Amino acid sequence: MDPPHLLPPFAELLTQKNYSAYLRLLTKKGVDWWLDFQFPCIGQHFAPLKHFVPREDARSARLHFLTLCVSQGPSLRELDALFHTFRAEQDNSAACACISLALNSIWESGREFGRAAVWNNRAEQLWNSGAISPLAHSALLLHFCFGEIAAGGDVAGVYRHLTTILALAEEAESPSIFLMYSALGAYIYCWKADFAAFEIILDDTSPYLTAKNASPVAVMQHMISRGLFTLLLGRPKEGQAIFETLLATPNLEQMPPSMWLLLHGHYLYCLVSSEDRQGIKELADKLRAKAIPERNQYFHAYLHFNLGIASLAHARPHKTLLHSKEALRLGSLCDSANAVRMSALLHGQALADLKQYDDALACFSKWIPVWQDTEYLFLAALAWVEIAYIYLNQGNFSKARSSLRNGYNLIPAQEKILPIYRPADYVTRLEQALGNTPATDIKECDKPIKITALGKFSVTVDGRIIDEQQWKGRQSKKLLQAIISLGGRNISTSYLAELLWPDADGDKAANSFKVCLCRLRKAVNNGGLNIPWLVVKQKEISLVSSFCSVDVHIFEKEISKVFTQALNPPEISHALSLYTGNFLEIENDEGWHARKRDDLREYFIQATQLLFDHYKANNGLKTGIPYLIRALKHDPLNEGLLLQAMECHLAMGNRTDAIELYNSACRSLKEKHNVAPGKPLRALALKAHAQM
C-alpha cells in the first residue's frame, strides 16, 4: 500500500527505494509547491527521507532550500547565501521562493519587522524584471503584501497590487493563489470599510475552496476571513461555528504561526461576544504559552489587544487601558504599524469609558488623521462614533451629530458603521439619541432639494425652480450661498450675521439674520414642502444632507478622492464632469464667494493636469487634450494650460487649432486686463505660424 499523503509518482519511487530519483523529483516540484502555498505538501514528502542521507553531489541548492522550508525558524543568513546562488544559477523561481521564505520567516517570528526591507527590495527587482513566472510573481506579491499589512500598514499600496495578483492567479491557474488573493483583499476592504466589496471578493473565490489542488493553507486563510466577515456583520454565533470547525482541523499546529494567531484571536473575539469568561481565560493562557517563550512580540501585542477587547466588553475600562498600553508598546517594539494603529483605537475607547474625555479626544484627534492618510477608514469612522458619544454625554448634541456625520463621510455610500468591540446596537442607539438619519441612507437623486452653485445658481424643490421673485429679498439668497460656501454644516450664526451685515452692530445683525433666515425657509418651503432641511442648533446652522443635494459639496467630496487615492483615470474624469462652472459665476462678487471660487477652480485645474499628464505619459494626447480645452473654458487666462494645449495641438499637427487658441487668449487678455500674452505663448505662436 502506498504511504499516505504522497503523490503517486513519489509513492512509486519510494516503493522502489529509488531515493535519488525521489530527491530529484522533490527538488523539481518542491519550489513550485512552496510558491503555491502547498507548505504541508513539502513536509509530507520529506518525511519518508528522515533517515536517508543523499550523496554529496545530490545536495543541490534547491534541496538545501527545501530543508529550510520544513525547519523551525530558518536562518536569514543561509537564505541570503541561497538567494545569491539561485540568482547566479539564473534559477529565478527558486530565488523568488527564497525571498518569500525569508519574508515569511520574519513575519512569523513576530519581531524586528524592519529586517524585511532588503528582501522587499529584492522582490520588487524580480517582479519588475519580467523574468519570472506568473506563479512566482503572484507568490512574491502575496508575501510582500501580507507583510506590509502586518508591519507597514500600507493599505493603499497593497490595494494597488490586488488587480495584478488576480490577473496572475488567472494566468497561473492556481486555486491557492485565488484563495490567498481573496483573504488579502478581504482585509484591505475591511480597513477601507467597504464591506460590500469584502463580501463579493470572498463569494467570487469560494468555488476554489473545493478545488482538488487547493492548498489547505489557502483554504484556511480564506475561511478565517469569512469568519471575520460574519463577526463584523454582527453574527458572532455563525462566526464561532466557522472558527470551531477550523480549530478542529487535523495538524492545526503545523499551520503557519500567523494563521494560528489570526484563527485563535478571532475566536477569542467570538468568546467575548458570547460572554464565555472561562473560555476567554483558557484561550488567553494558550496564546500566552505560545507568544511569550518564542519572544513573538507581534503575537504578544495581538494577545493584549484581544484581552483589551474582552475587558472593554465586560465593562473593565481600567484593565482595557493597561492592555492597550502594552499592545502599543509591543507593536512599536516589533515595528508593526498595524498592531499600533489597532491598539490606538482601543486605547481611546478605554479612556472614553473611564470618562477621561479630554484625553480620549486628544487620542482620537492624534490618530484620526493617521488612519485617514493610511486608509484605515474603518478605524477612523469608529473613532468618530466614540467622539460623538463623548459629546452626547457632555450634552453637546451639535458636535455629536457633526462627529457622527464625519464618520459616515469616511465610508462608502450605503454602508453602515459596524461597531466592532462594542454592542451590536452601539451605533443605532447613538443615531436614535441624536435623532439623526445618516445621509448615506438616501441617494442624491432622491433628495427633494437640489442646489447648484457651480455656474448659474439655482435651487430646485421637488422639480420646481425657485425664481427671483420667490426669494423674498436678495439677502435670503445670499444667506444660502454663504452657508454653502462655508461647507454647509455647523456654521456659527453669529459669524454669518457679521459676514452679511458687517456694518450693523451685534444685536441688529442678529435680528437681520433671524428675519433673513425666516424668508429663506419660506422661499424654499413655498409649495407645501414641510421638512427640516435647514436646522439651527446650539447657535450653529446646517443644511440637512438627508434632504439637500448640493453640487459643490458633491464635487468637493469626489475631487478629494483624486488627491488621496491611487490614480484612477475614470474616477478623475467623473469628478471633473461634476464641475459645471465656476462657483457662483454670475453672482455679484463677495470676498467669501471669490475665495471659494478660486479654491474650487484650483482643485479642478490640478485634477485636470493630473489626468492630462497621465494620458500624455501613455501616448494619449488625443484623449487628454479635450480635458485641457474644457479647463480653459473655466480658466481662459491660465497661460500654463494654454501653453500645454498649444503644444499638444502642434504635436498632433493641428497648427490651425493652436493659433486659434492663441488668438482667443489675446482677445481675452486685451478685454479683461489690457495686456498681451507672455513671451512663452508668443514664441509658441510664432512657431505655429512658421509651420503653416
Side-chain angles (χ1 to χ4, degrees):
M1 181 180 292
D2 291 342
H5 308 305
L6 294 186
L7 295 175
F10 290 92
E12 185 177 344
L13 290 170
L14 194 63
T15 301
Q16 298 169 359
K17 297 186 178 181
N18 191 345
Y19 297 113
S20 296
Y22 187 106
L23 267 179
R24 286 194 300 273
L25 185 60
L26 182 57
T27 54
K28 180 181 178 181
K29 296 284 189 183
V31 165
D32 281 348
W33 287 344
W34 174 265
L35 293 171
D36 200 37
F37 293 86
Q38 304 283 356
F39 308 149
C41 203
I42 299 173
Q44 290 162 7
H45 287 77
F46 249 112
L49 301 175
K50 186 186 304 182
H51 303 295
F52 173 72
V53 179
R55 298 192 321 270
E56 191 68 32
D57 60 354
R59 294 176 184 174
S60 66
R62 278 197 169 209
L63 181 60
H64 186 185
F65 167 76
L66 292 174
T67 61
L68 293 179
C69 288
V70 296
S71 67
Q72 292 293 323
S75 161
L76 291 181
R77 183 176 296 177
E78 285 185 90
L79 287 172
D80 185 70
L82 276 174
F83 171 77
H84 290 295
T85 299
F86 290 139
R87 290 294 281 152
E89 294 175 352
Q90 297 185 352
D91 189 349
N92 288 331
S93 289
C96 290
C98 197
I99 293 171
S100 65
L101 177 57
L103 290 174
N104 188 69
S105 175
I106 291 167
W107 310 136
E108 302 296 4
S109 74
R111 60 184 185 273
E112 298 179 82
F113 286 168
R115 293 175 295 164
V118 64
W119 295 97
N120 284 337
N121 289 335
R122 289 170 176 175
E124 197 166 355
Q125 289 170 9
L126 270 173
W127 76 56
N128 287 333
S129 71
I132 56 178
S133 69
L135 180 63
H137 190 170
S138 59
L140 267 189
L141 276 174
L142 282 164
H143 282 281
F144 171 85
C145 289
F146 275 111
E148 276 301 293
I149 292 299
D154 183 10
V155 172
V158 172
Y159 176 71
R160 288 194 289 272
H161 287 306
L162 283 180
T163 53
T164 302
I165 295 171
L166 178 58
L168 290 167
E170 292 170 345
E171 198 172 346
E173 298 181 344
S174 166
S176 302
I177 299 296
F178 276 114
L179 292 170
M180 294 299 291
Y181 150 80
S182 70
L184 174 66
Y187 283 104
I188 294 301
Y189 289 125
C190 176
W191 298 135
K192 292 167 77 71
D194 192 344
F195 294 99
F198 191 151
E199 183 175 24
I200 288 169
I201 200 171
L202 291 177
D203 287 347
D204 281 357
T205 53
S206 59
Y208 294 106
L209 290 169
T210 55
K212 184 179 179 181
N213 55 339
S215 158
V217 171
V219 170
M220 180 168 284
Q221 192 74 266
H222 175 100
M223 290 307 299
I224 290 172
S225 298
R226 174 71 69 180
L228 174 63
F229 179 71
T230 60
L231 277 177
L232 295 175
L233 288 188
R235 305 199 302 265
K237 289 185 178 179
E238 185 179 336
Q240 186 166 341
I242 291 173
F243 292 130
E244 287 177 350
T245 300
L246 295 175
L247 287 166
T249 303
N251 303 316
L252 178 64
E253 297 300 320
Q254 296 176 15
M255 286 292 179
S258 58
M259 291 180 60
W260 189 96
L261 170 68
L262 279 175
L263 175 56
H264 286 80
H266 293 339
Y267 183 58
L268 188 142
Y269 180 33
C270 290
L271 298 179
V272 169
S273 301
S274 62
E275 300 185 357
D276 182 354
R277 298 199 180 198
Q278 182 59 32
I280 291 170
K281 183 182 182 305
E282 291 174 1
L283 186 53
D285 289 342
K286 189 174 183 179
L287 285 163
R288 280 196 186 92
K290 192 170 183 69
I292 296 174
E294 294 179 9
R295 296 192 304 114
N296 193 310
Q297 293 162 340
Y298 185 70
F299 269 35
H300 205 170
Y302 199 70
L303 167 64
H304 278 289
F305 171 71
N306 280 302
L307 292 176
I309 293 169
S311 299
L312 192 75
H314 297 145
R316 302 185 68 183
H318 179 65
K319 199 168 182 179
T320 303
L321 189 65
L322 295 175
H323 282 304
S324 70
K325 286 180 178 179
E326 194 61 11
L328 284 165
R329 183 185 73 83
L330 290 162
S332 296
L333 280 177
C334 67
D335 301 321
S336 172
N338 182 61
V340 171
R341 288 171 194 160
M342 290 287 293
S343 304
L345 175 67
L346 188 65
H347 188 73
Q349 290 172 318
L351 290 169
D353 283 11
L354 287 166
K355 301 192 184 327
Q356 297 178 22
Y357 293 146
D358 289 344
D359 290 341
L361 290 172
C363 174
F364 293 134
S365 296
K366 172 187 174 181
W367 281 100
I368 283 174
V370 175
W371 291 323
Q372 288 186 212
D373 289 346
T374 53
E375 297 194 18
Y376 278 65
L377 302 180
F378 190 21
L379 299 188
L382 290 169
W384 279 117
V385 169
E386 299 293 339
I387 291 171
Y389 262 109
I390 290 173
Y391 286 133
L392 178 64
N393 291 335
Q394 293 177 333
N396 194 331
F397 286 78
S398 177
K399 285 191 174 181
R401 288 191 186 91
S402 178
S403 300
L404 182 58
R405 282 195 296 272
N406 288 340
Y408 270 105
N409 286 339
L410 291 175
I411 68 175
Q414 310 306 320
E415 290 286 3
K416 298 286 288 183
I417 299 176
L418 301 181
I420 57 170
Y421 322 141
R422 292 295 196 183
D425 63 346
Y426 194 65
V427 178
T428 304
R429 284 192 281 113
L430 175 64
E431 291 171 353
Q432 290 172 346
L434 296 174
N436 180 54
T437 301
T440 50
D441 288 347
I442 302 176
K443 296 179 180 179
E444 294 294 336
C445 59
D446 295 332
K447 296 177 182 180
I449 301 171
K450 295 179 175 59
I451 303 170
T452 62
L454 293 172
K456 183 180 179 181
F457 181 78
S458 72
V459 178
T460 304
V461 182
D462 285 339
R464 168 183 58 84
I465 297 177
I466 299 177
D467 60 34
E468 289 298 320
Q469 292 180 342
Q470 292 172 310
W471 277 113
K472 312 293 183 183
R474 178 162 178 77
Q475 285 295 91
S476 59
K477 185 202 284 191
K478 283 179 65 177
L479 174 58
L480 180 55
Q481 291 172 347
I483 292 169
I484 293 166
S485 178
L486 295 171
R489 293 181 295 183
N490 307 113
I491 304 158
S492 165
T493 55
S494 59
Y495 177 75
L496 284 167
E498 292 172 7
L499 191 70
L500 296 177
W501 294 275
D503 298 325
D505 61 37
D507 289 341
K508 189 173 181 180
N511 188 59
S512 297
F513 172 83
K514 290 178 182 177
V515 172
C516 187
L517 177 60
C518 182
R519 288 176 176 171
L520 172 58
R521 283 178 168 148
K522 282 183 179 179
V524 174
N525 291 347
N526 185 29
L529 184 70
N530 186 26
I531 56 174
W533 66 277
L534 186 64
V535 297
V536 179
K537 291 186 178 179
Q538 306 272 329
K539 295 184 179 180
E540 290 183 341
I541 191 167
S542 298
L543 292 170
V544 179
S545 55
S546 302
F547 306 119
C548 298
S549 171
V550 185
D551 64 346
V552 173
H553 301 156
I554 296 169
F555 170 74
E556 287 179 309
K557 183 177 179 180
E558 293 301 311
I559 207 71
S560 67
K561 297 177 184 177
V562 170
F563 303 110
T564 57
Q565 298 180 4
L567 190 142
N568 186 323
E571 283 189 3
I572 299 176
S573 180
H574 168 67
L576 293 175
S577 71
L578 299 173
Y579 193 86
T580 53
N582 294 324
F583 181 65
L584 299 178
E585 196 161 36
I586 61 174
E587 299 293 321
N588 292 333
D589 270 354
E590 303 281 350
W592 39 274
H593 281 191
R595 286 192 298 273
K596 186 74 170 181
R597 181 182 301 150
D598 291 343
D599 288 346
L600 291 172
R601 182 167 53 205
E602 183 60 23
Y603 291 142
F604 172 74
I605 297 300
Q606 287 179 10
T608 298
Q609 186 71 63
L610 193 65
L611 188 58
F612 175 76
D613 289 346
H614 165 76
Y615 285 121
K616 183 179 179 181
N618 291 279
N619 300 316
L621 288 180
K622 188 175 180 181
T623 305
I625 194 167
Y627 292 97
L628 286 182
I629 301 303
R630 183 166 175 269
L632 281 168
K633 290 180 180 178
H634 301 302
D635 195 5
L637 303 183
N638 189 314
E639 291 199 10
L641 291 177
L642 279 164
L643 274 170
Q644 290 182 87
M646 288 178 66
E647 288 171 347
C648 191
H649 276 311
L650 290 176
M652 294 190 299
N654 303 332
R655 292 182 293 275
T656 302
D657 291 335
I659 291 170
E660 284 183 3
L661 274 178
Y662 176 78
N663 290 337
S664 176
C666 288
R667 289 191 296 271
S668 296
L669 286 167
K670 180 70 175 175
E671 178 182 334
K672 295 189 176 182
H673 302 296
N674 197 28
V675 295
K679 287 183 180 180
L681 277 174
R682 293 201 302 273
L684 203 57
L686 288 172
K687 180 181 177 181
H689 279 292
Q691 293 178 2
M692 292 292 285

